[in-house]
Amino acid sequence: MNLELRHIEKRFGPTVANRDISLLVESGSIHAVLGENGAGKSTLMKIISGFIAPDAGEVLMGGDRLPPGSPHHSAAAGIGMLHQDPLVFLPMTMLDNAMLGSDRNTRTAAEELADVADRLGFHFRPDVPAGRLSVGARQQHEMIRLLWLGVRVLILDEPTTGITEAQREQLFAALRTLAGEGLIVLFVSHKLEEVAELCDRVTVLRHGLVAGETELPTPPLRLVEMMFGRSVEPVARKRIPPGEVVLDIDRLEMAEAGVGAGPISIGVRRGEALGLAGLEGSGQRLLLRACAGRLRPASGRVLFEGADPVTRSDKIHYVPAGRLEEGLIPGLTVTEHLELTAPDDSFTIDWGEAEERAGSVIAAYQISGTPETLADVLSGGNQQRLMLAMAPDNARLLLLEQPTRGLDLESARWVWSELDRRRSAGATVVFTSSDLDELVAQSDRIAVFFAGEVVGVVESSTATTSELGHLIGGLAPGVSS
């Protein structure tokens, strides 16, 4: 049973998200959809799954036209979507999440879900609240649920963002199994190496249009040129001599929501980029929140420029991984977000001037939008640019969770160029990343977390991803598990 798109069109105000997109995906295939941030990938996937109604065009499953903008009819036709952030209720157990909206037998559901998990090489944990699981584990559970409900088309939007290498390997093995059983897998990604490793065919979007389509394998340079209309050269990271210690972490112990970490002692220098590596939930996020003054230590201390971070909040900027959950406010425009962080402490706002300032920031940070664009309408890459634009120029400590999460090559390149600019001006950067290559490439030093402790601090100039992988797993380098 094939999936077909015919002349799909979608606009959001003046922004064209999809323009005359036609596509045929055959059963039993793993089909990649590539494109830079804002190319229209996520919008197209939401149209296929019924979350968004197109302005024109149609979606057909097995030759039958699906009613537009109807998740119910799309699900009934066998289409399911795994979003970049799995759609689960965090306080509820995974079994309760799976049962939402289902009329299946509750007495046999756990056993049936476990059978699906076994088939994929996953582990189903029915009684565990979703909030206690990592993003990768929630993702696996959501895949189990969709397959249990009988999907024949599985859409995955940036599925490897924020998961471990072991989880990635499990995911790819499961997707190959599903394609072998005749399912259609639509794999949305910005990672060329993963597309080349997994997929049979790729469609590339650029500015809402189909820029090209090809069988795989194909030279990566060709895909890059289709994505951006040109080649994208890597930029060597700027090496900045570090100054004095400005962030002093001394025997710090922290706890939040039942997760603890510490004791941790480390000094971070002015102009330095310190990467934090480790499995999700190992303590990196707790450390960032403590350094931002958002989490009070259980014991020990953290000082920035000799003072409690709470008293230095005007010099500290925290960029969380959850863009719309913690970093931005859905329903507010770009202008309104920038005014919230503006240094002006006046009780009134001249909205004409505010929109002019927003226009200048949009140009400087290359945000694809207007001053009136809602933050939640922006693509992930443009939301990331907006959050960085909200960081005051005088910020001296930048704390970032997964700063290039879900970003395409060009957007990630821009983020690190901006952070290098700020480090050159005297800022210190501390960041987490699940991408070991990124940690090695963008850090001066890397602090590796395991089970709430820092098990090693390595110089990035001599570090290898193999060494980091062993430390992250709790092993000494060179020791097999």
Side-chain angles (χ1 to χ4, degrees), residues 86-98:
L87 301 179
V88 295
F89 291 96
L90 298 181
M92 295 173 59
T93 68
M94 294 313 300
L95 178 58
D96 288 339
N97 270 289

Side-chain angles (χ1 to χ4, degrees), residues 273-287:
L274 177 71
L276 308 180
L279 299 178
E280 187 174 339
S282 296
Q284 310 95 296
R285 174 177 164 83
L286 295 181
L287 180 60

Side-chain angles (χ1 to χ4, degrees), residues 100-404:
L100 284 173
S102 170
D103 58 0
R104 306 285 283 271
N105 189 325
T106 56
R107 289 177 295 179
T108 61
E111 185 176 338
E112 291 168 356
L113 287 159
D115 287 343
V116 175
D118 288 342
R119 191 172 112 234
L120 299 178
F122 295 165
H123 177 55
F124 184 66
R125 303 171 65 185
D127 299 325
V128 178
R132 288 177 52 189
L133 297 177
S134 68
V135 170
R138 291 178 211 158
Q139 183 186 84
Q140 290 183 357
H141 282 73
E142 180 64 4
M143 263 188 70
I144 293 167
R145 183 187 73 85
L146 290 171
L147 294 166
W148 176 61
L149 293 174
V151 300
R152 301 299 299 168
V153 176
L154 181 63
I155 303 170
L156 300 102
D157 190 4
E158 301 286 0
T160 63
T161 298
I163 68 174
T164 67
E165 179 62 23
Q167 288 170 333
R168 188 188 75 89
E169 291 175 0
Q170 273 187 309
L171 174 65
F172 281 18
L175 296 179
R176 293 187 184 101
T177 297
L178 295 173
E181 295 174 356
L183 270 71
I184 290 173
V185 176
L186 277 172
F187 186 83
V188 180
S189 180
H190 67 282
K191 298 181 179 179
L192 302 184
E193 66 279 7
E194 292 184 348
V195 167
E197 177 185 346
L198 178 69
C199 301
D200 309 311
R201 189 170 180 82
V202 58
T203 297
V204 181
L205 302 185
R206 186 169 79 242
H207 304 313
L209 291 163
V210 174
E213 192 169 348
T214 184
E215 300 287 339
L216 293 170
T218 196
L221 181 60
R222 183 184 174 196
L223 296 178
V224 171
E225 289 177 343
M226 280 195 286
M227 286 173 66
F228 300 102
R230 56 184 171 79
S231 61
V232 178
E233 298 296 328
V235 176
R237 178 175 177 270
K238 190 172 184 178
R239 297 291 172 181
I240 299 167
E244 73 282 9
V245 170
V246 291
L247 182 62
D248 182 16
I249 302 164
D250 184 26
R251 299 185 300 277
L252 184 67
E253 295 192 56
M254 307 152 288
E256 186 177 52
V259 178
I264 296 169
S265 295
I266 189 170
V268 191
R269 296 163 290 181
R270 189 179 305 281
E272 183 177 19
L274 177 71
L276 308 180
L279 299 178
E280 187 174 339
S282 296
Q284 310 95 296
R285 174 177 164 83
L286 295 181
L287 180 60
L288 287 182
R289 288 175 61 79
C291 291
R294 297 188 174 200
L295 177 64
R296 279 295 183 186
S299 64
R301 68 176 190 181
V302 54
L303 299 176
F304 177 63
E305 294 182 341
D308 188 306
V310 173
T311 68
R312 303 290 291 155
S313 60
D314 60 322
K315 301 294 184 183
I316 300 173
H317 192 76
Y318 175 52
V319 180
R323 295 171 185 138
L324 291 177
E325 294 81 8
E326 293 184 81
L328 302 170
I329 303 173
L332 293 191
T333 66
V334 171
T335 299
E336 289 165 338
H337 275 90
L338 293 172
E339 284 303 299
L340 284 173
T341 56
D344 185 5
D345 57 1
S346 171
F347 286 103
T348 61
I349 297 174
D350 183 323
W351 287 109
E353 291 183 3
E355 290 192 356
E356 285 185 17
R357 288 194 296 270
S360 298
V361 171
I362 286 170
Y365 282 78
Q366 301 173 30
I367 298 169
S368 296
T370 69
E372 297 82 19
T373 300
L374 298 178
D376 38 315
V377 172
L378 296 172
S379 70
N382 286 298
Q383 289 174 355
Q384 194 73 12
R385 290 172 188 259
L386 175 57
M387 288 200 297
L388 283 172
M390 291 165 64
D393 277 337
N394 65 347
R396 288 293 174 261
L397 177 61
L398 295 170
L399 305 163
L400 307 103
E401 290 184 71
Q402 308 285 350
T404 61

